[in-house]
Amino acid sequence: MTHILRKVEWVRVAGKWTKMSVMGADLSDEMLKIPANKENENRVVILMIPGNPGNEGFYAHFGREVLRNLLARYAETQRNEKNEYLFYTVSSLNHVRMPDHLNSDGEHRNHDRISLEEQVSHKLAFCKEHLPRGKQLYVLGHSIGSYMMLRILPEVILEGFHVAKAVGLFPTIVNMATSPNGRRLQGTLATLNHHDWLTKSICWWVDYLPSFVKKFLVGLNLRHPNTPPEIVDAAVELVHLDVFRNIVHMSNDELDIVLDLDERLMEKQDMVHFYYGLKDGWCPVEHGYSMRDRLGDGQVTLDEHDCEHAFVISEGDIMAKNVVKYFD
């Protein structure tokens, strides 16, 4: 079995620090560099845009399994072409707390709250500044990451990326406020967002918890035997006041902004595919039926494996096998 490497680092994106990771069988400088004149003809780049919370660590196991499945498939088919796969994930701004030495070395601070619109711009800037070109680019979006994926897709193509497909997994791109979870949480999110002092008053103490206590508390809610250790580590990183404030702020934005389908999202609909769950509290299956009526069976898949909206917690293996089917 091919060993999949993972590299995690903090990078500047439009002057702001963010955490990103890249995985692949080869993470050499030559493989990762962005050539000035010539594109790497063997490189297939996969960009994973996370949901909310937007921590890249939630997609580490899923991404590793996507790469393993792709490599295994090409080995089985004995194709002559040699593809080098790179799986990139970038965290949303302030969904991971910046290290202290970076908090004063950029254009934003840990206490800043970042809007959904700013997060969209951040993903586009990341593509322009840090994503290497190759012979193909596959863009995956999860939950609100699907909304961001569709927003930036036209400009990514204009930047010269050879986008093969854009795939929305459990996509929250329409009527979030009227979804079961939206109706249940909208009042609470609006209160915490509009009264930031209240959120600070309630949650100030979490920053003082030792790491082992945070890990214990997170572990109480992540007991599934299939939960990868990276999920626990990423969840521990959420246990900070400013991270929680940003999750609340972005969630409230989503409920206010993601209403009727924005036709801008469907500008490149011929290359877009969607994967809908059957029991999704954020994106009811009725949304899938509606999108299937618009795009047809070939571009809309309804889940057959009883996967949850937050599939990365325990069903990353299953979803990795499903996602590989989208690759040519």
Side-chain angles (χ1 to χ4, degrees):
M1 180 180 293
T2 303
H3 184 57
I4 304 299
L5 306 172
R6 181 177 178 227
K7 180 180 181 181
V8 181
E9 60 183 338
W10 285 84
V11 296
R12 275 187 193 267
V13 177
K16 299 177 180 179
W17 288 102
T18 191
K19 187 182 177 189
M20 59 143 277
S21 73
V22 56
M23 290 185 286
D26 179 4
L27 297 185
S28 64
D29 291 342
E30 181 68 22
M31 181 57 60
L32 297 179
K33 75 177 182 180
I34 303 177
N37 299 314
K38 185 178 179 181
E39 297 173 347
N40 187 315
E41 296 178 353
N42 295 325
R43 187 165 52 192
V44 176
V45 180
I46 306 162
L47 172 63
M48 179 79 241
I49 301 179
N52 182 11
N55 186 311
E56 55 78 31
F58 285 125
Y59 301 88
H61 177 76
F62 168 70
R64 192 178 297 115
E65 290 305 306
V66 168
L67 294 177
R68 284 176 176 163
N69 278 279
L70 284 171
L71 293 170
R73 188 178 73 175
Y74 277 93
E76 290 173 3
T77 56
Q78 297 181 331
R79 295 191 183 185
N80 292 326
E81 60 183 321
K82 174 62 175 176
N83 286 333
E84 296 287 353
Y85 293 100
L86 295 173
F87 187 100
Y88 279 79
T89 316
V90 56
S91 295
S92 289
L93 286 171
N94 280 5
H95 282 224
V96 183
R97 192 175 187 277
M98 284 185 291
D100 290 340
H101 69 280
L102 297 180
N103 190 39
S104 58
D105 184 30
E107 296 181 9
H108 78 300
R109 301 290 181 265
N110 273 319
H111 62 262
D112 292 341
R113 292 192 298 175
I114 312 297
S115 69
L116 176 58
E117 191 64 27
E118 290 173 297
Q119 299 288 6
V120 171
S121 297
H122 167 257
K123 305 305 177 293
L124 179 59
F126 175 81
C127 292
K128 292 179 178 180
E129 297 176 20
H130 294 283
L131 202 63
R133 270 97 170 144
K135 69 176 184 180
Q136 288 180 318
L137 169 64
Y138 289 83
V139 188
L140 310 179
H142 175 218
S143 190
I144 196 62
S146 300
Y147 174 88
M148 291 189 269
M149 172 192 77
L150 295 172
R151 283 285 307 277
I152 71 172
L153 186 58
E155 290 199 55
V156 169
I157 294 171
L158 285 176
E159 282 293 311
F161 288 92
H162 305 307
V163 179
K165 282 189 179 73
V167 183
L169 306 175
F170 303 88
T172 52
I173 61 173
V174 62
N175 295 334
M176 286 191 67
T178 58
S179 69
N181 287 350
R183 290 195 298 269
R184 179 168 57 88
L185 294 174
Q186 187 171 31
T188 300
L189 291 170
T191 298
L192 292 175
N193 184 62
H194 295 151
H195 302 285
D196 192 39
W197 63 269
L198 176 62
T199 306
K200 292 177 180 179
S201 299
I202 294 173
C203 301
W204 62 270
W205 54 274
V206 298
D207 286 359
Y208 297 95
L209 292 175
S211 295
F212 75 91
V213 174
K214 293 180 180 180
K215 193 164 188 175
F216 170 76
L217 294 174
V218 165
L220 294 177
N221 295 290
L222 295 174
R223 298 179 178 179
H224 197 285
N226 292 337
T227 300
E230 293 98 337
I231 296 292
V232 176
D233 294 339
V236 169
E237 290 186 312
L238 302 181
V239 189
H240 284 284
L241 170 59
D242 290 325
V243 173
F244 178 71
R245 291 171 61 237
N246 267 279
I247 292 169
V248 168
H249 187 59
M250 185 171 163
S251 299
N252 186 72
D253 258 6
E254 293 167 27
L255 297 181
D256 286 344
I257 292 171
V258 183
L259 304 172
D260 294 335
L261 182 63
D262 185 343
E263 287 298 325
R264 291 180 300 171
L265 304 180
M266 306 305 294
E267 182 176 333
K268 300 293 181 180
Q269 68 178 38
D270 290 347
M271 64 175 55
V272 174
H273 295 250
F274 293 108
Y275 190 101
Y276 288 90
L278 300 182
K279 54 177 184 180
D280 192 336
W282 284 113
C283 181
V285 70
E286 290 76 19
H287 295 183
Y289 296 146
S290 177
M291 191 60 70
R292 187 172 62 182
D293 290 340
R294 175 170 181 152
L295 299 181
D297 291 334
Q299 290 176 252
V300 176
T301 301
L302 301 181
D303 178 59
E304 297 179 349
H305 304 278
D306 207 31
C307 291
E308 299 284 349
H309 183 86
F311 67 88
V312 292
I313 294 177
S314 60
E315 294 150 343
D317 293 16
I318 296 172
M319 285 301 299
K321 292 177 181 177
N322 292 334
V323 164
V324 166
K325 298 174 184 177
Y326 293 109
F327 286 75
D328 297 325

